[in-house]
């Protein structure tokens, strides 16, 4: 059985099996256009895909997967610094773009890459042998505490194992219509939100943007969102009531605040399922469609996944509902390593083969997991996006009027955390200019939402910036 079982027939062929931002495609149309992409990319080292919320993105991704070429989704708004790094690092020679958009040309930082136009009306036939499970399906770029994003190699077998485990946990079948509007360059929107439908055979409606109105209008049975999306839905009673007829609402990518869980349950009549995961591990822990959905808890490990809590001394901690430790995970859903980053691999895996998530958790005697924080203040989750403080600081320091910068994630009622930058300027510059500077060089979502110009940064005796102190200052200033 292939990775994309729904494309192998047997699931019917509605004219709108897939709708992305209003553009319907049948599975046959998708397969025909994707097969042409596959023929074009076969044998390439990697296929970069400009991951707009568009049907062309899905066609390009499916084409790469059919051909067994690792797919590298590029955030569509990424600026030259971020895009140049990703393209150089992954070694892609082709960049899939919607037909009619011309050559990719200088994709950033002087990277010349050939454009591969994706035409939704194109058709080709023929089939490809299913590649080995250990071949990478994707290289997904994810932020670390410092430096540019790292490419996580996601094997095809990990995607298949995770989607099957989630289908079991959420009773996700071909009877469902999945609705979401999440970005198509991360695990949530792309692996779960697109390949999940291709594997289970469910219809997929991608709303372009994840707005409450669009979710309400899509009339699905299964909805995915990050907590920011659910908090906006819960606050919009008209939209929320329109979801009453759904089967399951699923939240993930960041902690779902208990008040949002409760509001959503009250207005829609559905207690949301919350699940936990990471780019590197895919989704490892979840509450279940047929089990208890407990506010503030992400539930139980999914089929095949094992978890353990480890204390600062490296010793395992008991599942007693009190002990707080680092969550480590193992199982078939894990990535195989970071591309070109043996240093990062060495830091992330234990000697006995467990992946260190960097998340701090508590596990109850009933096995329910609660994520209580992150080990590092330098990894920020804003609107469900992971943002490395170091990457934003480096971008700010590239500005000629910036002498130094320190970035923290301040609590934010809409985004969970908001990027706040403390900047020492040595020339005339405003906060708005610095925000725009970061938005243009990295991705728009990495821009500071607040810039505070300061004369100095708090430092310890070794000269290291005291991030926890800055975070307290940022929190007090709210
Ligand atoms: C604003 N904009 C700018 C700008 N300021 N553009 C250029 N320069 C500037 N300075 C524009 C943007 O381009 C965008 O335009 C619009 O303003 C709004 O952007 P925003 O303010 O960033 O949107 P916001 O409302 O804050 O977004 C909230 C959100 C988003 C929830 C929609 O954060 C989101 O999509 N989050 C999902 C993240 C996700 O999927 N994470 C999964 C990671 S995987 P326009 O035209 O586009 O509106 C993972 C594993 C797991 O974590 O467990 O799932
Ligand atoms: P990413 O690298 O973008 O895949 O983000 C992964 C991180 O998102 C995890 O390490 C967690 O910190 C966070 N995360 C994902 N889902 C949840 C959740 N349900 N509750 C709390 N944190 C979450």
């Amino acid at each position: 059985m292939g990775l994309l079982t729904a494309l192998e027939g047997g699931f019917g062929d509605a004219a709108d099996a897939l709708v992305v931002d209003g553009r319907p495609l049948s599975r046959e149309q998708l397969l025909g256009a994707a097969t042409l992409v596959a023929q074009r990319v076969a044998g390439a080292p990697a296929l970069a895909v400009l991951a707009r919320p568009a049907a062309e993105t899905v066609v390009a991704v499916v084409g790469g997967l059919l051909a067994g070429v690792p797919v590298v989704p590029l955030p569509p708004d990424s600026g030259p610094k971020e895009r140049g790094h990703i393209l150089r690092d992954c070694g892609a020679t082709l960049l899939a773009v919607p037909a009619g958009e011309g050559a990719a040309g200088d994709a950033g930082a002087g990277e010349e890459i050939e454009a591969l136009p994706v035409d939704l009306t194109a058709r080709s036939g023929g089939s490809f042998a299913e590649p080995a499970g250990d071949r990478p399906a994707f290289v997904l770029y994810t932020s670390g505490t410092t430096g540019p994003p790292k490419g996580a190699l996601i094997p095809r077998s990990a995607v298949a194992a995770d989607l099957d485990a989630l289908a079991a946990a959420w009773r996700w079948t071909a009877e469902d219509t999945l609705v979401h509007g999440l970005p198509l360059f991360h695990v949530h929107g792309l692996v779960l939100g697109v390949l999940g439908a291709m594997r289970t055979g469910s219809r997929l409606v991608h709303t372009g943007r994840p707005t409450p109105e669009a979710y309400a209008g899509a009339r699905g049975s299964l909805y995915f969102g990050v907590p920011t999306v659910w908090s906006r839905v819960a606050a919009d009673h008209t939209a929320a009531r329109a979801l009453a007829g759904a089967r399951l609402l699923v939240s993930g990518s960041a902690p779902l605040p208990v008040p949002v869980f409760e509001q959503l349950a009250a207005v829609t009549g559905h207690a949301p399922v919350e699940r936990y995961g990471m780019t590197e591990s895919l989704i490892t822990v979840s509450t279940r469609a047929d089990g208890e959905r407990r506010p503030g808890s992400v539930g139980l490990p999914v089929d095949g996944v094992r978890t353990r809590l480890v204390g600062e001394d490296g010793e395992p901690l008991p599942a007693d509902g009190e002990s707080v430790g680092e969550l480590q995970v193992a199982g078939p859903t894990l990535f195989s390593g970071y591309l070109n980053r043996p240093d990062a691999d060495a830091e992330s895996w234990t000697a006995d083969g467990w992946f260190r998530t960097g998340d701090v958790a508590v596990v109850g005697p009933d096995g329910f997991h609660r994520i209580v924080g992150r080990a590092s203040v330098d990894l920020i989750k804003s609107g469900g996006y992971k943002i490395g403080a170091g990457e934003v600081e480096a971008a700010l320091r590239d500005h000629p009027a910036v002498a130094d910068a320190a970035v923290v994630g301040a609590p934010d009622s809409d985004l969970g955390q908001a990027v706040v930058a403390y900047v020492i300027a040595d020339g005339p510059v405003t906060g708005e200019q610095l925000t725009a500077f970061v938005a243009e060089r990295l991705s728009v979502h990495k821009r500071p939402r607040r810039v505070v110009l300061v004369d100095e940064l708090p430092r310890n005796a070794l000269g290291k910036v005291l991030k926890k102190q800055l975070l307290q200052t940022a929190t007090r200033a709210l």
Side-chain angles (χ1 to χ4, degrees):
M1 195 168 74
L3 178 58
L4 308 173
T5 42
L7 295 181
E8 291 165 11
F11 286 94
D13 200 28
D16 59 354
L18 169 80
V19 183
V20 186
D21 204 16
R23 175 68 155 94
L25 286 181
S26 67
R27 289 201 186 95
E28 194 188 3
Q29 289 171 318
L30 168 62
L31 186 60
T35 299
L36 192 64
V37 172
Q39 285 159 344
R40 181 73 179 73
V41 303
L47 172 66
V49 176
L50 188 67
R52 297 230 177 91
E56 286 88 347
T57 301
V58 176
V59 168
V61 168
V62 168
L65 294 175
L66 289 174
V69 172
V71 173
V72 188
L74 269 188
D77 63 0
S78 54
K81 191 173 165 106
E82 184 169 333
R83 187 176 295 206
H85 162 71
I86 293 175
L87 292 176
R88 265 193 310 275
D89 190 57
C90 75
T93 48
L94 290 165
L95 173 64
V97 295
E101 294 209 359
D106 181 4
E111 297 305 304
E112 283 294 331
I113 188 160
E114 188 184 342
L116 173 67
V118 178
D119 178 359
L120 297 179
T121 62
R123 296 287 172 273
S124 192
S127 59
F128 290 81
E130 178 68 17
D134 60 358
R135 287 273 306 158
F138 294 105
V139 186
L140 295 180
Y141 279 81
T142 182
S143 296
T145 51
T146 57
K150 301 170 283 189
L153 294 159
I154 315 291
R156 300 173 75 95
S157 57
V159 173
D162 203 49
L163 293 175
D164 291 348
L166 295 179
W170 303 340
R171 304 234 156 146
W172 183 3
T173 69
E175 301 297 308
D176 279 306
T177 293
L178 170 64
V179 175
H180 72 92
L182 297 168
L184 297 180
F185 45 91
H186 282 312
V187 161
H188 199 162
L190 181 61
V191 179
L192 274 59
V194 173
L195 298 201
M198 305 290 154
R199 194 160 172 85
T200 58
S202 67
R203 253 190 94 221
L204 167 62
V205 178
H206 187 285
T207 57
R209 298 273 302 168
T211 61
E213 311 76 59
Y215 275 35
R219 305 274 159 196
S221 62
L222 175 62
Y223 283 80
F224 291 170
V226 296
T228 300
V229 168
W230 289 127
S231 128
R232 292 177 186 181
V233 168
D236 179 338
H237 286 202
T238 311
R241 274 195 291 269
L243 301 192
R247 183 179 69 78
L248 202 67
L249 313 183
V250 182
S251 180
S253 303
L256 183 67
V258 170
V260 176
F261 179 111
E262 285 168 350
Q263 276 165 27
L264 198 60
V267 197
T268 64
H270 298 287
V273 155
E274 188 171 0
R275 96 295 180 289
Y276 159 85
M278 278 184 88
T279 301
E280 292 89 335
S281 66
L282 305 182
I283 307 312
T284 47
V285 185
S286 182
T287 54
R288 301 185 72 93
D290 57 2
E292 185 190 353
R293 305 178 200 168
R294 192 182 298 168
S297 169
V298 293
L300 302 163
V302 300
D303 295 350
V305 169
R306 288 170 297 139
T307 65
R308 70 182 185 190
L309 278 187
V310 175
E312 279 177 15
D313 56 3
E315 291 302 313
L317 292 170
D320 57 7
E322 286 174 12
S323 301
V324 178
E326 186 194 24
L327 185 65
Q328 298 185 351
V329 295
T333 68
L334 262 61
F335 75 137
S336 53
Y338 296 108
L339 185 65
N340 305 324
R341 292 294 303 272
D343 57 323
D345 280 332
E347 275 174 25
S348 328
W349 299 91
T350 65
D352 55 348
W354 291 70
F355 177 69
R356 298 180 213 267
T357 64
D359 288 306
V360 178
V362 174
V363 181
D366 56 3
F368 266 56
H369 289 50
R370 232 164 18 94
I371 309 296
V372 297
R374 281 207 65 92
S376 170
V377 287
D378 284 329
L379 282 177
I380 299 164
K381 265 268 156 163
S382 186
Y385 285 115
K386 186 191 266 184
I387 302 170
E391 190 188 5
V392 181
E393 287 159 1
L396 285 165
R397 285 191 204 107
D398 285 342
H399 192 283
V402 171
D404 204 357
V407 162
V408 293
D412 185 272
S413 59
D414 180 42
L415 296 170
Q417 289 182 301
V419 173
V420 177
Y422 288 83
V423 173
I424 302 176
D426 57 5
V429 71
T430 65
E432 290 80 47
Q433 286 166 341
L434 290 176
T435 292
F437 186 75
V438 174
E440 282 157 19
R441 294 173 68 77
L442 303 179
S443 290
V444 168
H445 66 262
K446 293 182 179 173
R447 70 193 187 277
R449 306 287 171 134
R450 194 147 51 91
V451 176
V452 186
L453 295 171
V454 292
D455 293 330
E456 58 183 358
L457 295 169
R459 292 180 190 277
N460 67 14
L462 299 171
K464 196 166 178 299
V465 175
L466 295 166
K467 286 282 178 89
K468 289 198 174 133
Q469 189 174 319
L470 268 188
L471 185 55
Q472 280 170 2
T473 312
T475 307
R476 271 200 305 273
L478 291 174

